[in-house]
Amino acid sequence: MDDDRVTRRRVGATEVRRANRGWWDADADAYQAEHGAFLGEVDFVWCPEGLREADARLLGEVAGRRILELGCGAAAAARWLAAQGARPVALDLSGGMLRHAAEAAARTGVRVPLVQADALALPFADAAFDTVCTAFGAIPFVDDSAAAMREVARVLRPGGRWVFSVTHPMRWIFLDDPGEGGLTAVHSYFDRSPYVEQDEHGVATYVEQHRTLGDRIRELVGAGFRLVDLVEPEWPAGHEGIWGQWSPLRGRLFPGTAIFVAEKPAAG
């Protein structure tokens, strides 16, 4: 992409929503073609390092639980949860990604309710879910992730768990490069300006937000959550795959993913 099409700048909420919905609608086919085999059709993969919920069990017991997968993409994780006896709902802003979710449901026979909605305005009643989760969905893309945390807290029952994975904040120091060019720090960790791709008219077509580790913890605490764990998956031996800026070279030196495990305190 031309250098003048990539920038770091502030973007309004409406432009962010329009850009990211349009991006994922347009990119859904290419994304699934590139990453679908890695993610599986009935599987829950937390990150490009390949950590699976089947092994990590970050959600705890799922059988019988009402679970919302936020920013579900093609909803492979929600289908895995259904196969484990959970009662999941899969939500995404992108109709293009939900089309892939519906097609995968038809292929696998594992069907879950699909909802198209904004993570900042969840169309559910208070305390509707026992668990909310997302693997790289919604949180990095909304303009006000603190508000998204509050929405998650609203729809989560007391004692419920909220688990989400995002690009590790320290990765924002480096270029988006899986090779040696991605080993040199070039950006300030403290610059929260979003990464923006834009068209020839300067209109955003893709926006991703940066928050520090401290920001994320303050967002969680501010929404009333208790942080249970912060998981930084190590790059596993024998994993030679490259996913965007994730690679064995970088993964063996510093973390690429942060998974936050939080709970909403039980009433009383």
Side-chain angles (χ1 to χ4, degrees):
M1 179 170 288
D2 297 339
D3 289 344
D4 61 350
R5 299 285 184 90
V6 177
T7 186
R8 300 281 291 273
R9 67 174 175 85
R10 299 296 179 186
V11 184
T14 300
E15 189 178 2
V16 168
R17 186 179 299 107
R18 183 186 303 117
N20 285 333
R21 180 173 180 174
W23 173 274
W24 289 109
D25 282 349
D27 194 58
D29 292 350
Y31 182 88
Q32 285 302 118
E34 183 175 0
H35 302 300
F38 180 83
L39 294 172
E41 291 205 312
V42 185
D43 202 356
F44 195 144
V45 183
W46 279 109
C47 52
E49 289 86 354
L51 181 67
R52 284 171 161 75
E53 176 60 16
D55 301 314
R57 297 295 179 182
L58 300 180
L59 301 182
E61 180 59 49
V62 299
R65 302 292 175 88
R66 299 164 298 168
I67 302 179
L68 173 63
E69 185 188 5
L70 192 63
C72 66
R79 288 189 294 278
W80 181 86
L81 289 166
Q84 306 306 305
R87 294 183 288 155
V89 173
L91 178 146
D92 204 282
L93 180 65
S94 166
M97 295 304 292
L98 291 175
R99 173 172 53 81
H100 279 279
E103 291 170 356
R107 286 192 300 271
T108 63
V110 182
R111 301 181 182 276
V112 300
L114 303 177
V115 177
Q116 185 174 12
D118 191 327
L120 295 175
L122 298 175
F124 306 111
D126 295 355
F129 296 97
D130 301 300
T131 306
V132 182
C133 60
T134 183
F136 283 79
I139 298 302
F141 303 108
V142 297
D143 69 301
D144 188 349
S145 49
M149 301 286 182
R150 294 191 294 273
E151 268 294 88
V152 170
R154 181 185 65 79
V155 303
L156 192 63
R157 67 163 176 81
R161 181 162 285 203
W162 162 223
V163 186
F164 65 96
S165 62
V166 293
T167 301
H168 198 289
M170 75 172 292
R171 283 290 175 104
W172 283 73
I173 301 170
F174 305 97
L175 294 176
D176 197 13
D177 182 342
E180 292 189 0
L183 300 181
T184 302
V186 296
H187 298 298
S188 168
Y189 177 75
F190 302 104
D191 180 4
R192 278 80 162 183
S193 301
Y195 168 86
V196 180
E197 295 180 8
Q198 54 193 18
D199 63 19
E200 65 274 18
H201 305 294
V203 177
T205 57
Y206 177 91
V207 182
E208 190 168 347
Q209 311 283 343
H210 167 53
R211 301 290 185 270
T212 67
L213 284 172
D215 292 338
R216 290 295 183 213
I217 292 170
R218 282 185 289 275
E219 288 177 347
L220 285 167
V221 172
F225 288 104
R226 179 178 67 89
L227 183 65
V228 174
D229 199 0
L230 172 57
V231 181
E232 299 166 296
E234 296 186 32
W235 194 267
H239 180 17
E240 299 300 320
I242 293 177
W243 178 321
Q245 49 111 336
W246 279 265
S247 66
L249 174 66
R250 282 156 59 95
R252 290 165 187 155
L253 294 173
F254 49 88
T257 299
I259 309 176
F260 293 82
V261 183
E263 289 182 349
K264 181 177 177 178

